[in-house]
Amino acid sequence: MKVALKIAPAATHVAEGAHLWTPPAERASAAAVEHFRYWVNARLGLDLPDYDALWRWSIDSNDAFWAAIWRYFDIRSDTPYARVCSAREMPGALWFEGARVNYAEHLLRHESRSPDAPALMHASELRPLESTSWRELGRRVRIVAEKLRALGIAPGDRVAAYMPNVPETAIAMLATTAIGAVWTAASPEFGARTVIDRFAQLAPKLLFVVDGYRFAGEDFPRDAQVSEIVAGLASLEHVVCLPYLQPLDAPIVPGALRWGELIEGPDVSVAQFRYERVDHDHPLWVLFSSGTTGLPKAVVHSHVGILVEHCKLTAFHVGLRPGSRPMFYSTTGWMMWNVLLSGMLQGATPVLYDGCPIGPDPAVLWKLIEQARVTHFGTSPSFAQIMQKDGLQPRRDFDLSALEMVLLAGSPAMPETFAWFYDEVKPELWVTSQSGGTEFASALVGAVPTLPVHAGEIQSRLLGMDVQVWNEQGVELVDQVGELVITNPCPSMPIRFWNDGDGQRYRDAYFSTWPGVWRHGDWIKRNARGGSYIYGRSDSILNRYGVCIGTAEIYRSVERIADISDSLIVCCELAGGRFFMPMFVKLRDGGALDEKLREKIKRQLRIDCSPRHVPDQLYAVDDIPYTLTGKKMEVPVRKLLAGWPLEKAANRDAMQNPAAIDWFVRFRSDNRVMLSS
């Protein structure tokens, strides 16, 4: 379909918290979370009248809540669990001791219910949209799992993947976890050193690799990177290569197995195959922190913790059901890839896409949404802002009749972003935002299908998540910005960090501020009706003369200006207790940061925010540095300007656009006297 593009004017201001949508009564009453509320009331003799009451019960009667999740979703275990939770303490709480479960088994159990229905849909810049049935997916997973066993991969062994977002990667993950081995992944745009820093911590026994990938119409062979990664992992016994760019070429690693060899073999029936059901604390996978500075944290999750959490999340807070088709633009190195595949727990059909979301065709994802009949679309707020600024009007140009929900994640979502989806995509949408992270492979605050939508507002705290907002003295706040903390454990908290024998690194990361209370590192405000606003990482908050300023509110104001494509702001501490708060703006093509634009930016910040929000200086930059998961690199830039060497302040291989950091290195060198005085 031909898409007409126009340059959009500055976004219309939308008041934070303005009401945008209320779910129709029939839609709210049909939600799985409502069915669960009725079920709990009937089974346990309760009288919980609404979501707020259900949430409060999930916290006050935490063991009863998670026991109800176990029963409601019919969790399969070899043995009954002895108790739900060992103790209400963090860290150290043990969940469902005595149970033996397998996560992959639950993802694939819909094979017997709907064998010919699509289990996965997938497309890329190299491949057209195709689907894989539950029967075929299960068949391939079982063949690969048995091949892995034959190669000597045993429960607890680590299997790593340097693979794109394609069905082969999903099959490899399911096969690995089906036999009790431990999965970890990095997407192929990662540099070799970044991958080695991650994988070497785990000493993997087998590595899946790809020969290259395509992004924005350009091919990126990874022969050299793969060779360096293999050489840097002394623990490897086997390498499996997917020839993706050049399907007929020999493996890029001498002696490696080709994917085709792994996937070929006699069928293994469901009855013949044995899932490795594992103990309550057996590792499922290892996810890594962004690693923008320092060695990435290797976050270990358990089968049982992720299983109960993802059952709850996908059904009650995303609203997935058999036949749903969720698509979240992600790479395999981000936890949202794992969450996307978890939709199979509800019989949903994840839609995978590998490639650039905005180029060379800026409407590529909307075309895929139309073609695949996507029902739940997950994306980053920055993607929506690009669509908005480029004047894309999906509502006019595409058939979006199947689309029910938009889920924004990865960074704070502005009120104007919410409003754009209602104006230009679909007025009947459930548009929501969430915040959580790698540590939980889930959300802490997020979507609730029975509640109204307010501009920029995250609807509520999720069931079982005891989220509070605290000030520095540990006093709970309402309608004020403070630290996001968690005061009770939940099953998907990390069971540990890898190679952290005494747990000290784990405690230092989250429990050093308030022992026994999880400090998440996000700056958050919760209002009286229960909605939340995330204002960015608390370690990137602008502390100017003792007044804390969230960067998200500054970006919201400045990036409504049509001449501004992107921006980044930091606050540098100088000698004598002074501060220097520069702002760096990326201009639209042909723009210039002249005095008129400078004054316009300052005036808008004074009007939208306050005089304290106005930067000390404005600078035009070539590009704004982002992590591979789409987060602005505020902390690394601040460290650079404070004099840190580049190799300690930022990891180039963990960036979307490594060249962007070079401008700031030159800026530091040119302004050394000013930044040091």
Side-chain angles (χ1 to χ4, degrees):
M1 179 176 292
K2 187 176 181 180
V3 179
L5 294 179
K6 60 184 180 64
I7 298 301
T12 303
H13 183 74
V14 179
E16 185 180 80
H19 176 265
L20 296 177
W21 182 77
T22 295
E26 63 275 14
R27 182 169 177 174
S29 63
V33 71
E34 276 292 89
H35 183 272
F36 178 69
R37 183 173 65 85
Y38 291 131
W39 184 88
V40 164
N41 282 340
R43 292 294 181 99
L44 301 181
L46 302 175
D47 183 22
L48 306 174
D50 53 24
Y51 179 82
D52 286 346
L54 182 64
W55 179 85
R56 174 49 60 192
W57 172 74
S58 77
I59 300 304
D60 293 343
S61 302
N62 201 243
D63 282 14
F65 166 72
W66 288 109
I69 293 293
W70 184 279
R71 187 175 179 186
Y72 185 82
F73 289 105
D74 187 25
I75 303 301
R76 298 175 181 176
S77 173
D78 277 344
T79 53
Y81 59 82
R83 53 185 174 178
V84 175
C85 184
S86 62
R88 317 302 315 161
E89 62 183 26
M90 297 180 290
L94 304 177
W95 291 90
F96 298 103
E97 290 176 277
R100 293 184 64 85
V101 304
N102 185 279
Y103 181 74
E105 178 181 10
H106 288 79
L107 260 68
L108 290 171
R109 64 180 173 178
H110 285 270
E111 179 185 353
S112 61
R113 302 171 185 176
S114 306
D116 297 318
L120 288 176
M121 300 184 77
H122 35 89
S124 75
E125 292 189 26
L126 286 165
R127 299 173 175 176
L129 179 65
E130 297 176 339
S131 65
T132 302
S133 70
W134 286 99
R135 190 196 313 273
E136 181 61 18
L137 179 65
R139 186 185 75 85
R140 295 181 186 181
V141 168
R142 289 189 292 274
I143 290 173
V144 173
E146 293 295 11
K147 291 285 186 69
L148 294 180
R149 280 173 167 152
L151 290 171
I153 305 301
D157 287 342
R158 276 76 65 203
V159 172
Y162 187 57
M163 296 272 282
N165 186 14
V166 292
E168 291 90 343
T169 313
I171 291 166
M173 185 276 280
L174 289 165
T176 296
T177 56
I179 65 172
V182 184
W183 172 261
T184 194
S187 55
E189 66 265 26
F190 279 41
R193 186 69 257 166
T194 295
V195 176
I196 294 169
D197 284 347
R198 286 161 164 76
F199 291 173
Q201 296 183 56
L202 310 183
K205 199 170 180 179
L206 184 145
L207 175 67
F208 289 96
V209 298
V210 71
D211 64 349
Y213 66 97
R214 181 172 293 174
F215 190 84
E218 183 179 353
D219 287 347
F220 293 87
R222 305 308 270 172
D223 306 48
Q225 289 78 9
V226 167
S227 296
E228 186 176 345
I229 292 166
V230 170
L233 298 175
S235 60
L236 285 181
E237 297 179 9
H238 307 284
V239 177
V240 178
C241 180
L242 173 67
Y244 186 53
L245 280 184
Q246 303 294 334
L248 300 179
D249 282 3
I252 57 177
V253 177
L257 284 168
R258 288 173 64 96
W259 175 265
E261 298 174 70
L262 201 69
I263 205 71
E264 292 174 356
D267 288 353
V268 183
S269 70
V270 177
Q272 292 173 311
F273 184 73
R274 175 179 56 85
Y275 285 98
E276 191 70 40
R277 293 181 178 176
V278 294
D279 287 337
H280 69 282
D281 59 350
H282 187 89
L284 167 65
W285 54 45
V286 177
L287 304 179
F288 288 95
S289 63
S290 60
T292 51
T293 61
L295 197 65
K297 297 188 289 288
V299 179
V300 185
H301 291 124
S302 70
H303 279 251
V304 73
I306 291 298
L307 177 55
V308 294
E309 171 57 34
H310 280 181
C311 282
K312 179 208 75 176
L313 175 75
T314 53
F316 299 158
H317 298 292
V318 185
L320 298 181
R321 57 191 182 277
S324 295
R325 294 185 178 179
M327 181 178 80
F328 200 107
Y329 181 77
S330 179
T331 67
T332 56
W334 186 19
M335 53 81 66
M336 286 308 303
W337 183 81
N338 305 66
V339 172
L340 174 61
L341 292 179
S342 74
M344 290 190 287
L345 288 167
Q346 309 306 331
T349 304
V351 179
L352 312 180
Y353 177 71
D354 185 58
C356 179
I358 57 172
D361 181 356
V364 61
L365 293 189
W366 297 107
K367 291 179 179 178
L368 184 57
I369 290 169
E370 177 184 67
Q371 189 179 4
R373 304 287 293 165
V374 168
T375 58
H376 297 67
F377 176 41
T379 187
S380 66
S382 59
F383 170 80
Q385 290 160 8
I386 291 169
M387 298 292 100
Q388 181 180 350
K389 290 209 172 195
D390 284 346
L392 203 71
Q393 295 179 293
R395 181 180 177 184
R396 179 195 66 189
D397 297 321
F398 301 98
D399 175 7
L400 304 177
S401 55
L403 191 62
E404 303 171 9
M405 178 203 194
V406 167
L407 179 65
L408 300 167
S411 61
M414 305 304 164
E416 292 78 13
T417 303
F418 276 60
W420 180 81
F421 279 101
Y422 285 104
D423 293 341
E424 302 294 353
V425 178
K426 194 174 182 179
E428 302 87 7
L429 276 179
W430 172 26
V431 179
T432 184
S433 181
Q434 69 170 16
S435 185
T438 299
E439 299 91 345
F440 299 85
S442 187
L444 300 172
V445 290
V448 180
T450 59
L451 299 180
V453 172
H454 297 86
E457 185 173 309
I458 300 172
Q459 287 177 289
S460 183
R461 295 174 284 191
L462 300 197
L463 295 175
M465 300 297 192
D466 193 2
V467 174
Q468 296 184 22
V469 183
W470 282 14
N471 65 12
E472 293 179 355
Q473 289 73 43
V475 176
E476 187 172 8
L477 304 174
V478 177
D479 285 322
Q480 297 181 56
V481 177
E483 290 274 3
L484 191 163
V485 301
I486 304 169
T487 57
N488 268 302
C490 60
S492 67
M493 280 181 169
I495 52 176
R496 62 180 182 274
F497 289 167
W498 201 270
N499 292 334
D500 183 27
D502 62 359
Q504 189 60 48
R505 194 179 181 207
Y506 184 19
R507 289 192 296 273
D508 288 346
Y510 303 108
F511 300 102
S512 59
T513 303
W514 294 290
V517 174
W518 177 289
R519 175 184 172 271
H520 194 56
D522 275 351
W523 209 241
I524 184 175
K525 178 176 73 176
R526 192 173 68 81
N527 59 30
R529 65 169 166 258
S532 300
Y533 299 89
I534 297 292
Y535 293 100
R537 297 292 296 171
S538 54
D539 56 3
S540 66
I541 285 296
L542 310 174
N543 190 335
R544 205 178 194 196
Y545 303 107
V547 177
C548 292
I549 300 170
T551 56
E553 54 192 323
I554 292 180
Y555 300 143
R556 177 196 176 197
S557 177
V558 169
E559 291 170 22
R560 289 195 296 113
I561 298 172
D563 300 299
I564 305 299
S565 172
D566 205 351
S567 60
L568 183 142
I569 190 166
V570 296
C571 190
C572 305
E573 298 180 6
L574 304 179
R578 295 177 298 114
F579 299 89
F580 175 58
M581 194 167 84
M583 182 172 216
F584 307 95
V585 295
K586 180 182 177 182
L587 304 172
R588 295 190 69 88
D589 292 343
L593 186 59
D594 54 21
E595 194 57 35
K596 182 179 178 181
L597 181 56
R598 293 175 189 273
E599 287 305 314
K600 185 175 184 178
I601 293 170
K602 294 176 182 178
R603 182 171 62 253
Q604 186 143 322
L605 282 169
R606 290 190 190 99
I607 293 171
D608 291 346
C609 303
S610 79
R612 287 194 181 93
H613 292 71
V614 177
D616 295 316
Q617 293 289 343
L618 285 155
Y619 302 93
V621 298
D622 301 328
D623 204 0
I624 300 296
Y626 280 85
T627 69
L628 286 169
T629 56
K631 291 181 172 59
K632 295 186 184 188
M633 296 177 63
E634 297 158 326
V635 173
V637 166
R638 189 182 69 197
K639 289 179 176 179
L640 264 180
L641 301 189
W644 288 45
L646 175 59
E647 61 273 15
K648 291 187 177 181
N651 184 343
R652 295 173 65 91
D653 285 343
M655 297 174 59
Q656 286 183 9
N657 46 353
I661 203 70
D662 296 335
W663 188 96
F664 293 91
V665 174
R666 295 192 298 272
F667 178 84
R668 166 67 197 181
S669 178
D670 294 343
N671 294 276
R672 190 174 301 276
V673 174
M674 176 189 67
L675 292 168
S676 302
S677 61

